[in-house]
Amino acid sequence: MTASVDELHLIARRIRKTVLELSHRAGTPHLGSSLSCVEMVVAAYWGGLKLDPAFAADLSQDRFILSKGHAATTLYAALAMKGIFPESWLEDYAKPGSPLGEHPSPGTPGIDVATGSLGHGLPVGIGLALASRIQGRDDRVCVLMSDGECNEGSVWEGALFAPAQQLNRLTVMIDYNKWQATGRSDEVTALAPLREKWSAFGWRAVEVDGHDVAKLVYWLNAPPDADGRPTVLVAHTVKGKGVSFMEDDNNWHYRIPSSSEVTRALAELQPL
Amino acid sequence: MRNAFADEITTLAERDSRIVLLSGDIGNRLFNDFKERYPSRFYNTGVAEADMIGIAAGLALGGLKPVVYTIASFAIYRAFEQIRVDLCYPNLPVVIVGVGAGLGYASNGPTHHSCEDVAVLRALPNMTVLAPADAWELRSLLEAALQLTGPSYLRIGKKGEPLVHETRPAIQIGQALEIRSGSDIAILCSGTLMPQTLKVASDLESTGIKTSVFSMHTIKPLDEKLLGRLFRDVKLVVTIEEHSRIGGLGGAVAEWKADHFQANARLLRLGTPDQILHHSGEQEHALEMCGLTVEKMTSAIRQASAG
């Protein structure tokens, strides 16, 4: 790990600040979903994977796919902080002509895969992992999905296929915040027990606290499974994490924060 | 045609180590040679077409040249959104090969028919749509498709289609091949109805209607240069395809004609009707039901040409 846990927490708070400001300024939704996956994005970019902007085109780099594309602001904040594109781009987020739209667009620096429609990241990640193995590389692929995304059939097609190919350099993180757009994710579909489902599909399935950045970093750096299984981190999270009046309140799937709400939220995120 | 595909992809994979073949759990034994020679470059991705396209996108992003093979209806209809989002949006070089396109699987029933595949794929930005007339065209087009920088769809027949060409033709994507010449009527055919189309042309010729035939192996991008010339020089342009009259080659040519006021010739579109073909039967029976036999097509053209 290159950064200390305290530094990672500071980065996470700063990303939350950016996410809140972007949502307020552009009037874009999915704030709760963007806040719940911050530690996972931080772990990927600052603690786990080789995602050096200087070598973006180099195939030996690791790959991170934000399959839950509606959390784009979290990804954008991370990419800007990492210097993969200029921080100034954030000012034009979601404005006409900006490369940074409400969902990630391939061709934007640091973004390979079009996400926003759910259930796409895992199969593409499987293809990337397979490509590495075919070409004898040892890079890793990490796919961040949402719990609601597990409604999609393509997720389970991929869940069946990846273990059959023993793609043990593939890691999936599931942001299990217990909500999807209009209901509890365990009620809309029979999602629970989620870890057991993935385990039964042949994955090294681990339950983690999705806000415990040190634990996430640990698992992203864990040696590949000796039995060849791909890894899934079923990460328990809180939707709207980090802002008391947003936590576990699904209204913030769509609500846009007012300027006074942003001020109150930022006060809770101190020190920045 | 599927044997020619298996043979050609095996040859091409020898020359280009980036070629990876994905099969959607079909082609039992068809790819044995490929699998034996390149075991790390063949994957049966299972009965999971959506994933197969996504996986192909990942392979392309990872620096390889994936070729996806399954029954046309499954590849296109089941995985349409993956084709649009995973391939066309980032413009990735993936070749989708749809076998038994049109009515190649007629006897399997409407779940296996694909008479709307060109219509839906033609509407997608960055997509190239190809329909070879015979095994030789298939070989040339497959090789050309693998040179593209974006996605392509190769809609092919199944097995035992008669050859149209004697040798491998030099083919450029987007440039139709003239198969026979004639100055009264031009027939544009895409795909495996070419042998019937040639018979139609010679029947017309025998009654004094000079008929040219072109293989429109590329439906997108359309050979607009040829259309400009034909609609100026002949009195009737006919399209023939094993595909719905909505949105296929006929649809594409009709759109072109609507945009070109100076196009003089009339247009007759022959293809499958706007209906699900409920009745069971072999391909020949299905084509008969659709009016796509030599006799019926000749009669329709004769009528249009007299009118």
Side-chain angles (χ1 to χ4, degrees):
Chain A
M1 193 187 312
T2 49
S4 72
V5 173
D6 283 348
E7 284 169 325
L8 294 177
H9 281 299
L10 177 63
I11 291 166
R13 291 198 299 276
R14 287 179 175 164
I15 286 179
R16 286 196 163 89
K17 172 177 185 280
T18 302
V19 164
L20 284 157
E21 288 169 345
L22 292 183
S23 172
H24 168 69
R25 214 162 54 218
T28 56
H30 302 131
L31 189 46
S33 317
S34 300
L35 292 171
S36 65
C37 65
V38 170
E39 279 76 17
M40 283 177 263
V41 171
V42 170
Y45 280 89
W46 280 269
L49 305 175
K50 192 168 64 172
L51 297 164
D52 190 332
F55 303 99
D58 182 347
L59 288 174
S60 70
Q61 292 258 82
D62 294 335
R63 301 276 189 148
F64 174 78
I65 300 172
L66 181 74
S67 194
K68 49 171 288 183
H70 54 291
T73 52
T74 306
L75 179 64
Y76 295 158
L79 293 174
M81 278 177 81
K82 285 292 274 188
I84 292 173
F85 56 67
E87 295 225 30
S88 61
W89 284 20
L90 295 175
E91 289 160 26
D92 294 328
Y93 160 68
K95 286 185 186 164
S98 167
L100 308 182
E102 279 190 48
H103 293 97
S105 184
T108 306
I111 297 170
D112 301 315
V113 185
T115 57
S117 170
L118 296 172
H120 286 261
L122 178 55
V124 177
I126 289 170
L128 279 164
L130 208 48
S132 296
R133 196 181 67 193
I134 292 169
Q135 294 167 100
R137 297 193 304 262
D138 64 354
D139 48 290
R140 293 167 299 168
V141 179
C142 179
V143 179
L144 172 52
M145 303 196 306
S146 72
D147 50 358
E149 184 169 8
C150 292
N151 294 177
E152 292 281 2
S154 56
V155 167
W156 299 102
E157 289 182 5
L160 284 166
F161 185 73
Q165 288 297 329
Q166 301 203 304
L167 296 175
N168 65 354
R169 305 194 73 80
L170 171 68
T171 299
V172 167
M173 297 192 282
I174 300 176
D175 180 6
Y176 197 4
N177 64 28
K178 319 298 186 293
W179 284 108
Q180 51 193 88
T182 63
R184 283 284 182 196
S185 51
D186 287 336
E187 293 171 3
V188 176
T189 67
L191 202 59
L194 192 53
R195 189 198 67 77
E196 287 83 346
K197 282 192 175 66
W198 286 85
S199 180
F201 275 59
W203 290 63
R204 175 168 72 171
V206 185
E207 246 160 324
V208 294
D209 173 350
H211 301 302
D212 183 343
V213 71
K215 194 59 71 66
L216 294 166
V217 168
Y218 168 82
W219 277 107
L220 284 178
N221 290 299
D225 183 57
D227 295 327
R229 294 175 301 173
T231 298
V232 59
L233 306 181
V234 176
H236 293 278
T237 58
V238 176
K239 197 158 179 174
K241 176 73 178 178
V243 180
S244 60
F245 59 92
M246 293 181 182
E247 287 190 358
D248 204 37
D249 177 355
N250 209 33
N251 284 313
W252 292 100
H253 190 86
Y254 292 118
R255 246 192 90 178
I256 315 297
S258 65
S259 51
S260 69
E261 283 167 335
V262 171
T263 307
R264 276 169 61 205
L266 295 188
E268 291 188 17
L269 292 174
Q270 297 301 324
L272 288 164
Chain B
M1 261 184 171
R2 63 188 180 192
N3 291 332
F5 167 71
D7 184 61
E8 188 66 26
I9 195 67
T10 306
T11 305
L12 292 170
E14 175 79 49
R15 299 211 300 262
D16 190 340
S17 63
R18 292 169 300 173
I19 291 174
V20 177
L21 180 58
L22 306 183
S23 155
D25 201 34
I26 69 158
N28 187 29
R29 295 205 300 271
L30 185 63
F31 301 118
N32 277 0
D33 194 24
F34 189 103
K35 287 188 249 185
E36 203 169 297
R37 289 165 72 172
Y38 325 108
S40 72
R41 291 194 278 144
F42 176 86
Y43 296 91
N44 178 355
T45 51
V47 193
E49 294 77 13
D51 251 41
M52 180 164 64
I53 297 295
I55 290 168
L59 289 168
L61 274 173
L64 297 172
K65 286 187 173 180
V67 177
V68 168
Y69 176 85
T70 193
I71 295 176
S73 57
F74 305 156
I76 306 310
Y77 304 145
R78 175 63 67 94
F80 181 73
E81 201 228 8
Q82 276 73 20
I83 295 172
R84 177 176 177 271
V85 173
D86 300 344
L87 306 185
C88 292
Y89 187 171
N91 196 23
L92 292 175
V94 171
V95 181
I96 302 168
V97 179
V99 68
L103 297 165
Y105 286 96
S107 63
N108 287 265
T111 53
H112 287 56
H113 301 169
S114 61
C115 295
E116 311 88 19
D117 52 337
V118 173
V120 293
L121 285 200
R122 200 168 64 78
L124 292 179
N126 292 328
M127 179 58 74
T128 295
V129 181
L130 306 166
D134 73 352
W136 285 120
E137 286 193 13
L138 180 157
R139 289 173 186 268
S140 297
L141 286 171
L142 178 62
E143 186 177 13
L146 280 161
Q147 303 305 315
L148 293 173
T149 53
S152 57
Y153 172 47
L154 198 54
R155 135 185 246 269
I156 71 172
K158 202 168 72 178
K159 62 172 181 179
E161 293 83 3
L163 290 176
V164 172
H165 301 275
E166 284 171 6
T167 54
R168 186 183 187 114
I171 282 194
Q172 279 204 327
I173 287 175
Q175 275 183 32
L177 281 181
E178 185 166 7
I179 310 288
R180 58 170 285 163
S181 56
S183 53
D184 298 326
I185 291 179
I187 305 181
L188 311 176
C189 175
S190 75
T192 50
L193 282 175
M194 183 58 89
Q196 291 93 317
T197 299
L198 288 170
K199 183 72 174 52
V200 167
S202 65
D203 287 359
L204 292 170
E205 193 91 26
S206 69
T207 56
I209 304 174
K210 298 186 187 71
T211 308
S212 61
V213 173
F214 294 84
S215 174
M216 293 293 276
H217 52 73
T218 307
I219 304 167
K220 185 185 182 184
L222 205 55
D223 187 346
E224 299 192 44
K225 211 167 138 191
L226 174 72
L227 294 182
R229 179 160 70 77
L230 294 178
F231 275 90
R232 186 193 63 209
D233 293 347
V234 303
K235 60 176 183 177
L236 177 67
V237 173
V238 182
T239 58
I240 293 180
E241 61 196 313
E242 204 169 299
H243 183 279
S244 174
R245 293 175 69 247
I246 298 172
L249 171 66
V253 174
E255 287 165 15
W256 180 90
K257 183 170 153 64
D259 289 340
H260 293 79
F261 311 112
Q262 74 281 20
N264 293 321
R266 290 192 295 119
L267 171 65
L268 173 66
R269 294 175 296 132
L270 300 178
T272 60
D274 181 23
Q275 64 187 65
I276 301 287
L277 302 172
H278 289 281
H279 301 281
S280 82
E282 297 295 326
Q283 188 171 18
E284 205 180 316
H285 170 75
L287 291 173
E288 169 87 37
M289 301 283 294
C290 297
L292 295 174
T293 60
V294 171
E295 296 69 33
K296 287 182 177 171
M297 290 193 288
T298 308
S299 155
I301 295 170
R302 216 186 283 285
Q303 219 172 336
S305 128

